Amino acid sequence: MRVRVEQTALPGIGVRHDLVMASGRRIGVVSHRSGRRDLVLYDQDDPDACIASLPLTDDEAEALADLLGASLMLGQLAGLRSQAAGLLTEQISIPAGSPWAHRRLGDTRARTRTGASIVAVLRDREVIASPVPSFAFQTGDVVVVVGTREGLDGVAAILAETEPDG
Amino acid sequence: MHDLSILLIELGTVLLGLSLLGRIGRRVGLSPIPLYLIAGLAFGEGGLLPLSASEEFIEVGAEMGVILLLVMLGLEYSAGELVSNLRSSAPAGLIDAVLNALPGAAFALLMGWDWVAALVLAGITWVSSSGVIAKVLSDLGRLGNRETPVVLSVLVIEDLAMALYLPLLTAVLAGVSLAAGATSLVIAVATVVVVLLVAIRFGNAISAFIAADDAEALLLGVLGVTLLVSGLADKLQVSAAVGAFLVGIALSGPVAHHAVELLTPLRDLFAAVFFVFFGLSTHPAEIPHVLLPALALAALTMSTKVLTGYLGAKRAGIALPGRFRAGLALMPRGEFSIVIAGLAVAAGVEPQLASLATAYVLITVITGPMLARIPDTEWFKAMLRRRTATVPAHPIPQTDTSL
């Protein structure tokens, strides 16, 4: 983590974490003992004061955290796509009943056969970045692939095979 | 049986009246404390509608109210938090005590009262209202502000200081000799230190002992321990309020969390009764006599609170607007000032003290939260900008290490 998060105790209320963004703005989170969390945004002219304080319930905070974490990864991939013309990303899911569930990523030999790479797997709202060849798929996984159009189609075809030849 | 029906009718009327007042207060953004005090004035002797049968019940209820106010206050802090706060914020606490307690004491002596009354008034002007201020900070969306920890530390130090001040005051009010007063102070200090140490070391064990799976057993357990310890503390002349505060500190973790949930409605009920009771013990006819002194005292000690917050925030490296926000937020006095005045009135110190304290708390607790909004107004910000523009740019203190 390249940003530094500062922690401050708020006696009787909870704790506050805040950080300064590259743009110079300061944002923070006030965590109440009760579990409530406030997302706070600081004033540009008066960095001691917050101009907005948004109360979040436990569930809302979790949803927002997921959103920020996931979009960060997809945002990076989107950036990659625009930089290198002809390079595409695709998300391919492993449906229930797929022969690939419980088989290892290495078994697909996707890169050797298609030139496209499996760069990440999304599982249960978690991101598994750069999975190793011994990584085992599960039903419901979403595989993120980067490559040319033909490469992506090739990986999709491999993952759709009913009788993987290993 | 006849008395019982009158008691029920009176209590019902009072509570219903409080509910209406509270609702009106919330609509205009006013703390209920001043409204309850005014209700007490109206129901008291010489008021609009004097109560006859329920005074005794209200008196006991008021005592419960003080105990519940303090146990809840203690529950908000953990012992570790108090100790670490004491280390880092002792200077701010000291400035606070000197700037706000001394004017109160001096004022009492100017009024021609004795030193016991001076000690009482010092306490009344010293302590800000944690309840009202925490509410104001959260209403104004300032919990995330960087000066807020300064404000909260001052409140914590004050609350901790009360754990030493109240037993001392109780001893002095009981009219004991200097030696006995010193003894009870030593007992109080020792008790507070021992409770803090025990709470840090064995807080989990104590909490586990009281912890219960069902809400009812937990409620009765916490309430029982609190009343028992308060009673024992009172016997030792350490003051029931301090006993309750220490019980609150000793409980921690999930037990404290659940206890807060369970006790809040009870606290709301009995604290309201307590404020009404205090209003009852004040004669409304006396208020006009003390109004001018109360206004002067309020103006004086509200300015010293602004200075306290200003200096505390400056020490923490907060810029000018934040210093004013901290100062103006600290102005309201409330529950503790009334607790102190209540002790003094019960002991028969200076008859004018109750009406002065009522008027004083009414003034600060009504105007304080309103004045706390000033730093958010455009004209105030513009004024500060002009000031900083005319003063040659002084560097903003760089305290955060995150850059």
Side-chain angles (χ1 to χ4, degrees), chain B residues 228-244:
Chain B
L228 189 68
V229 173
S230 302
L232 290 174
D234 206 41
K235 270 259 178 279
L236 287 173
Q237 299 246 341
V238 181
S239 124
V242 172

Side-chain angles (χ1 to χ4, degrees), chain B:
Chain B
M1 271 299 132
H2 182 63
D3 267 357
L4 183 66
S5 57
I6 293 182
L7 176 105
L8 291 177
I9 291 168
E10 281 186 359
L11 273 182
T13 317
V14 170
L15 293 181
L16 210 56
L18 294 183
S19 148
L20 281 174
L21 279 175
R23 219 184 285 178
I24 295 168
R26 209 158 300 133
R27 196 150 294 172
V28 294
L30 204 63
S31 147
I33 295 177
L35 299 172
Y36 296 162
L37 283 173
I38 292 172
L41 285 175
F43 290 126
E45 246 176 276
L48 296 173
L49 195 75
L51 301 175
S52 57
S54 50
E55 280 206 336
E56 208 168 298
F57 178 86
I58 288 184
E59 199 175 338
V60 178
E63 186 60 32
M64 290 280 290
V66 175
I67 289 170
L68 285 168
L69 271 174
L70 277 125
V71 71
M72 296 281 290
L73 195 64
L75 283 171
E76 281 179 14
Y77 306 125
S78 70
E81 217 172 57
L82 284 178
V83 171
S84 70
N85 202 65
L86 191 61
R87 269 195 217 125
S88 60
S89 314
L94 204 65
I95 295 175
D96 179 40
V98 170
L99 282 181
N100 297 291
L102 289 185
F107 198 87
L109 296 176
L110 266 180
M111 296 274 287
W113 296 348
D114 62 356
W115 67 274
V116 176
L119 181 68
V120 173
L121 204 58
I124 292 174
T125 58
W126 176 9
V127 202
S128 299
S129 165
S130 313
V132 173
I133 292 170
K135 180 87 173 34
V136 167
L137 289 177
S138 105
D139 284 353
L140 295 183
R142 290 206 194 140
L143 289 181
N145 278 19
R146 295 181 63 235
E147 80 278 358
T148 295
V150 176
V151 175
L152 295 175
S153 314
V154 168
L155 296 179
V156 175
I157 296 263
E158 281 177 357
D159 292 342
L160 204 53
M162 283 301 108
L164 302 178
Y165 171 86
L166 286 180
L168 176 69
L169 184 70
T170 318
V172 169
L173 288 176
V176 294
S177 66
L178 199 60
T183 315
S184 72
L185 184 63
V186 169
I187 293 176
V189 173
T191 316
V192 171
V193 170
V194 166
V195 168
L196 282 181
L197 286 178
V198 169
I200 290 173
R201 203 60 54 94
F202 306 107
N204 291 337
I206 299 170
S207 302
F209 173 72
I210 297 182
D213 292 336
D214 66 309
E216 193 178 334
L218 180 64
L219 174 67
L220 296 176
V222 173
L223 204 57
V225 169
T226 308
L227 292 181
L228 189 68
V229 173
S230 302
L232 290 174
D234 206 41
K235 270 259 178 279
L236 287 173
Q237 299 246 341
V238 181
S239 124
V242 172
F245 181 59
L246 293 176
V247 170
I249 289 173
L251 295 177
S252 61
V255 174
H257 186 69
H258 290 302
V260 167
E261 280 170 15
L262 292 169
L263 288 178
T264 302
L266 271 184
R267 192 263 324 255
D268 291 346
L269 172 63
F270 285 105
V273 169
F274 164 68
F275 289 116
V276 170
F277 173 72
F278 192 78
L280 284 178
S281 51
T282 310
H283 281 261
E286 281 174 13
I287 295 267
H289 296 292
V290 294
L291 197 58
L292 276 183
L295 274 173
L297 185 64
L300 173 70
T301 57
M302 283 165 90
S303 345
T304 53
K305 270 291 178 193
V306 175
L307 189 60
T308 306
Y310 184 96
L311 294 175
K314 190 178 176 187
R315 238 185 101 248
I318 306 291
L320 203 57
R323 294 180 203 163
F324 278 106
R325 276 196 300 273
L328 288 162
L330 276 170
M331 291 188 306
R333 314 299 207 276
E335 58 275 17
F336 256 126
S337 302
I338 295 291
V339 169
I340 294 167
L343 283 175
V345 171
V349 174
E350 207 53 58
Q352 274 197 317
L353 197 71
S355 36
L356 181 73
T358 311
Y360 174 78
V361 168
L362 279 175
I363 294 166
T364 61
V365 87
I366 292 173
T367 59
M370 292 180 191
L371 294 175
R373 290 165 199 264
I374 289 180
D376 293 341
T377 58
E378 275 313 312
W379 64 264
F380 191 84
K381 285 182 187 167
M383 194 185 79
L384 284 187
R385 269 198 294 275
R386 271 202 303 279
R387 247 194 77 178
T388 39
T390 50
V391 177
H394 63 280
I396 292 169
Q398 199 74 56
T399 47
D400 63 34
T401 49
S402 62
L403 290 169

Side-chain angles (χ1 to χ4, degrees), chain A residues 16 26 33 42 46 48 50, chain B residues 76 81 144-146 319 400:
Chain A
R16 187 191 73 210
R26 187 185 273 270
R33 294 252 185 75
Y42 290 89
D46 173 9
D48 296 326
C50 48
Chain B
E76 281 179 14
E81 217 172 57
N145 278 19
R146 295 181 63 235
D400 63 34

